[in-house]
Amino acid sequence: MPFSPYRHQYIFLLVLCAFSLLTTPTQAVQSPPIVLNLPLPTLHQALTSLLPLPIEQQKRNSNFRGSFVVDSITRLAVQQNVIAVQGQLSGRNMAVNAQVGGQTIQIKLGEMVLPVSCDIALRYDRERKTLFLRPTFYKQARQQDPAAASLAPLLDGLSREYALPLDKLDPLAGKLGVTPIFVQLEPVDIRLRGDSLELQFRPHTGKIGSTKTGKKIR
């Protein structure tokens, strides 16, 4: 979701003020984390801005040919500590290998549009600073649609854990008076809380050097 320059400056000042309030001269380097609650409508809007999203197939899934994308996300909800998602998956130049009479033949499916539903479980690894996402597709949707049944192995292959590294987030840069400074947000925890996605960050601040390399001076 694109941010305007005004909003970027507002977020930077908000983080800086929160850090100033939470830190005292006698406090240790470690500071309490900043908690950001992302409501589901905002998360839905952010994900929609990334569409269409290509789906990378696993190399071991050699029975399928074609390109697959997530076209739309029509529903997003929190149910039993998972994110329930409904959307649309489409494929182009699709073909599937099938066993007929002991021989492997290729069945061309062409283009296909398929409604899908899945639950996404979240797991955050603090040591690796990585968010893991595991989607699980509903089996009943496959049984109601013959096209979905033919794609059942593909959906099974997509039901695996995906890693989203968060250890290289770009710092927020700005000025305090005439002094250029940065705020580096260290991800501490990510979890579902109510109807929101809760993100916890620990801020680290410092001065930005005047060299062209942008070396940070602590």
Side-chain angles (χ1 to χ4, degrees), residues 124-130 186-189 191 200:
Y124 183 68
D125 190 318
R126 297 188 182 185
E127 293 184 0
R128 299 168 61 183
K129 293 183 174 56
T130 301
E186 175 194 355
V188 176
D189 197 10
R191 65 179 67 184
Q200 297 184 16

Side-chain angles (χ1 to χ4, degrees), residues 161-183:
E161 201 168 53
Y162 297 84
L164 181 62
L166 299 175
D167 58 340
K168 295 182 180 179
L169 296 177
D170 291 335
L172 301 174
K175 286 187 176 181
L176 184 60
V178 295
T179 304
I181 64 174
F182 72 91
V183 177

Side-chain angles (χ1 to χ4, degrees), residues 82-87 116-120 134-138 159:
V82 297
I83 300 179
V85 181
Q86 292 180 356
V116 293
S117 301
C118 70
D119 289 338
I120 301 179
R134 179 181 289 277
T136 302
F137 290 86
Y138 293 155
S159 298

Side-chain angles (χ1 to χ4, degrees), residues 78-152:
V78 175
Q79 297 177 354
Q80 298 180 350
N81 207 34
V82 297
I83 300 179
V85 181
Q86 292 180 356
Q88 180 175 287
L89 180 70
S90 68
R92 293 183 178 180
N93 302 320
M94 296 179 57
V96 59
N97 294 331
Q99 294 290 331
V100 178
Q103 295 183 348
T104 301
I105 63 172
Q106 187 179 79
I107 301 175
K108 294 185 178 181
L109 302 175
E111 296 186 1
M112 181 178 295
V113 176
L114 177 67
V116 293
S117 301
C118 70
D119 289 338
I120 301 179
L122 307 180
R123 179 178 67 86
Y124 183 68
D125 190 318
R126 297 188 182 185
E127 293 184 0
R128 299 168 61 183
K129 293 183 174 56
T130 301
L131 177 64
F132 292 92
L133 310 174
R134 179 181 289 277
T136 302
F137 290 86
Y138 293 155
K139 295 183 178 180
Q140 55 267 32
R142 309 171 189 171
Q143 298 172 355
Q144 296 171 0
D145 190 341
S150 66
L151 291 179

